[in-house]
Amino acid sequence: MHTVVVGTSGTTAEDVIAVARGNARIELSGEALAALARAREIVDALAAKPEPVYGVSTGFGALASRHISPELRAQLQRNIVRSHAAGMGPRVEREVVRALMFLRLKTVASGHTGVRPSVAQTMADVLNAGITPVVHEYGSLGCSGDLAPLSHCALALMGEGDAEGPDGVVRPAGELLAEAGIEPVELREKEGLALLNGTDGMLGMLVMALADLGKLYTAADITAALTLEALLGTEKVLQPELHAIRPHPGQGVSAANMAAVLKDSGLVRHFQEETAPRVQDAYSVRCAPQVAGAGRDTMAHAALVASRELAAAVDNPVVLPDGRVESNGNFHGAPVAYVLDFLAIAAADLGSIAERRTDRLLDKNRSHGLPPFLADDAGVDSGLMIAQYTQAALVSEMKRLAVPASADSIPSSAMQEDHVSMGWSAARKLRTAVDNLTRIIAIEMYAATRAIELRHGLTPAPASRAAIAAARAAGVEGPGPDRFLAPDLAAADAFVRSGALVDAVESVTGPLA
């Protein structure tokens, strides 16, 4: 089994994916254990002093003015976890919970939180045992970080609340810890607060969305090329010289991907042989690299923000290298929230342009000789008419999901936390957007491959032929009379979602970006 070693200097997106989705085993480095011990000594020394220190010997948030006596401090730490574990609604996906737990451990291991090494080890043990706390959809405002989701995870470390075991069954967390031989933690000064105060949920969802979108943008370049081919369009707009004079990196990548798919096609530029040749293709075809490329560049910016956050130690207060323990605002989720919203906007536009291309394939007035709705016997058969309805409904939802969550703020904690990021909400809607985008691209692929097969007597590009053959082998049916369409669309969705579309094309073109 793959092992991820957690040190003091953050982690990588690859490690987050390995833990969240691949169940990678986690180990704490010797460097991290030493840093944890050093920081804990500082916290213990401050706890012994009569002067109040926020998070160590005081209440929290709007209650920070109260000095807490030593005999009540363990209760204080337990209470903050219990009271903040206030989520409601459906359960959050297992991979999201594993990502946020791992990322909280990443910050704890930095040595800036004052948490004891034994608590960090328990966090690793719980993840390694396949125990996943039950976290709910609603409760985080993205400031101070993802408080409620992280509180439900901390509650499980204490042996309280519910969690999912390695068998997928939800049971009391205490039972699962006992079966795994894990002792529940007894929190001491600052530890409850340190387990709750971070951007870990929204960051984990950002990392996974970037991984998924990276694959989807390549798939979208492929489906755009298939549609261009099916519409007898021209690949001349993909020439690298054209994209070099507007040097947005993503645009050039998308154009190169499309050109690779269309190499040696017998369909492109066929319009030159028509009675009324086209001068140029519609925007949804001609500008595909510009739109997808802008999305790629948005992803690059989001990945930069994610890399910075993955290297960060997010807590309040923090233990500084010189021994000071200082209050700060680093838990605010704005940097992460903004890029989550940017990605939702780009994904909505990519879905929108894909739907416009699909509609063009189905309209006999704009498809340049294809049968209406790609039907076998139009009038008797409806073909893919309602597949486009489904795609349009998905696009409409994508547009709603593109409304920025981070443009909103709602005050909390008696106006102490009077400006919040809503980053968790941005991340949750982005996950839905990515899911919907997959379906939208799958429907374009389904329509474009059928349209190419209806161009009798013309030879598609080798990469297109490979895509069509792989799709048909995967149960994505080709042209023919009307049939129960939902299973075909589900098969197309699975084909794109699994990466099989990209794999099939790359078997001919070599690696695409």
Side-chain angles (χ1 to χ4, degrees):
M1 181 182 290
H2 179 59
T3 297
V4 170
V5 178
V6 182
T8 60
S9 57
T11 190
T12 65
E14 291 75 18
D15 283 347
V16 174
I17 298 293
V19 171
R21 292 176 168 171
N23 298 313
R25 184 169 182 79
I26 300 162
E27 291 182 5
L28 292 167
S29 72
E31 173 196 31
L33 291 170
L36 283 158
R38 286 194 301 271
R40 186 65 208 180
E41 290 177 1
I42 294 170
V43 170
D44 286 342
L46 289 171
K49 292 183 177 181
E51 298 85 9
V53 177
Y54 177 69
V56 176
S57 53
T58 71
F60 309 113
L63 303 176
S65 59
R66 178 177 171 182
H67 182 253
I68 308 298
S69 58
E71 67 273 13
L72 293 176
R73 289 176 189 170
Q75 181 181 340
L76 169 70
Q77 299 301 320
R78 289 194 301 271
N79 285 352
I80 189 176
V81 172
R82 290 168 174 164
S83 66
H84 285 43
M88 293 184 73
R91 282 180 59 196
V92 170
E93 302 84 0
R94 181 178 185 270
E95 66 177 24
V96 172
V97 179
R98 286 185 62 82
L100 76 90
M101 288 182 69
F102 173 66
L103 287 167
R104 182 77 319 226
L105 177 58
K106 173 267 298 181
T107 279
V108 165
S110 70
H112 290 293
T113 68
V115 167
R116 287 169 294 156
S118 60
V119 175
Q121 186 60 58
T122 301
M123 297 172 74
D125 291 344
V126 168
L127 283 164
N128 289 339
I131 298 170
T132 308
V134 171
V135 173
H136 299 279
E137 181 82 15
Y138 302 107
S140 175
L141 299 179
C143 191
S144 304
D146 293 317
L147 285 174
L150 284 163
S151 297
H152 282 275
C153 294
L155 195 69
L157 296 178
M158 293 165 48
E160 301 180 20
D162 293 327
E164 179 186 299
D167 58 359
V169 177
V170 174
R171 296 163 53 198
E175 292 181 11
L176 291 168
L177 294 185
E179 288 180 6
I182 300 171
E183 284 290 325
V185 299
E186 296 183 7
L187 299 174
R188 289 170 46 181
E189 291 93 343
K190 195 184 179 300
E191 289 181 334
L193 184 62
L195 294 178
L196 315 186
N197 213 335
T199 58
D200 309 294
M202 64 183 91
L203 176 58
M205 286 185 274
L206 171 61
V207 168
M208 289 186 284
L210 284 168
D212 294 339
L213 284 169
K215 298 172 184 176
L216 279 177
Y217 269 80
T218 303
D221 290 339
I222 292 170
T223 59
L226 294 173
T227 298
L228 184 152
E229 192 172 27
L231 291 172
L232 309 179
T234 174
E235 90 290 16
K236 292 182 70 175
V237 296
L238 305 175
Q239 295 175 88
E241 299 91 328
L242 295 173
H243 300 280
I245 61 175
R246 194 191 190 198
H248 294 290
Q251 176 179 323
V253 168
S254 285
N257 282 348
M258 290 180 66
V261 175
L262 294 170
K263 185 179 179 183
D264 298 327
S265 170
L267 279 74
V268 295
R269 282 189 280 173
H270 190 74
F271 69 90
Q272 293 175 343
E273 302 170 13
E274 294 179 358
T275 305
R278 278 167 282 156
V279 176
Q280 54 190 7
D281 294 314
Y283 282 12
S284 60
V285 177
R286 191 183 353 145
C287 301
Q290 285 76 11
V291 172
R296 286 179 175 276
D297 292 343
T298 301
M299 283 195 295
H301 172 61
L304 175 61
V305 171
S307 70
R308 292 168 177 163
E309 198 76 355
L310 288 167
V314 179
D315 193 19
N316 179 46
V318 292
V319 181
L320 295 173
D322 61 8
R324 286 178 294 144
V325 176
E326 296 284 3
S327 181
N328 67 92
N330 284 343
F331 49 74
H332 199 288
V336 181
Y338 290 168
V339 294
L340 288 162
D341 280 333
F342 296 165
L343 290 172
I345 292 168
D349 201 33
L350 186 64
S352 178
I353 197 170
E355 183 276 329
R356 287 293 81 205
R357 289 192 295 262
T358 303
D359 183 65
R360 186 166 287 272
L361 288 168
L362 306 186
D363 184 351
K364 69 180 182 65
N365 296 312
R366 295 179 291 142
S367 65
H368 308 288
L370 291 169
F373 303 105
L374 306 181
D376 187 64
D377 184 3
V380 174
D381 294 312
S382 294
L384 304 191
M385 179 190 294
I386 308 304
Q388 185 267 330
Y389 281 38
T390 299
Q391 193 183 39
L394 289 163
V395 169
S396 184
E397 169 132 346
M398 292 279 286
K399 293 174 182 177
R400 293 191 295 274
L401 292 168
V403 176
S406 59
D408 187 29
S409 175
I410 190 163
S412 57
S413 192
M415 293 298 286
Q416 175 71 6
E417 298 174 7
D418 58 351
H419 185 275
V420 297
S421 75
M422 302 307 298
W424 174 272
S425 298
R428 296 306 297 166
K429 69 185 182 63
L430 178 60
R431 281 181 71 84
T432 304
V434 171
D435 203 32
N436 285 350
L437 180 61
T438 308
R439 298 183 178 102
I440 291 166
I441 292 170
I443 292 172
E444 182 182 16
M445 183 278 301
Y446 183 60
T449 54
R450 177 184 282 212
I452 289 172
E453 288 186 300
L454 290 171
R455 293 294 190 188
H456 304 296
L458 297 175
T459 304
S464 302
R465 296 200 298 273
I468 293 169
R472 302 296 174 254
V476 184
E477 298 291 339
D482 281 357
R483 55 185 171 267
F484 181 21
L485 199 54
D488 275 9
L489 298 182
D493 176 51
F495 182 65
V496 171
R497 196 175 295 270
S498 68
L501 171 63
V502 175
D503 291 343
V505 169
E506 288 184 334
S507 70
V508 175
T509 64
L512 299 174

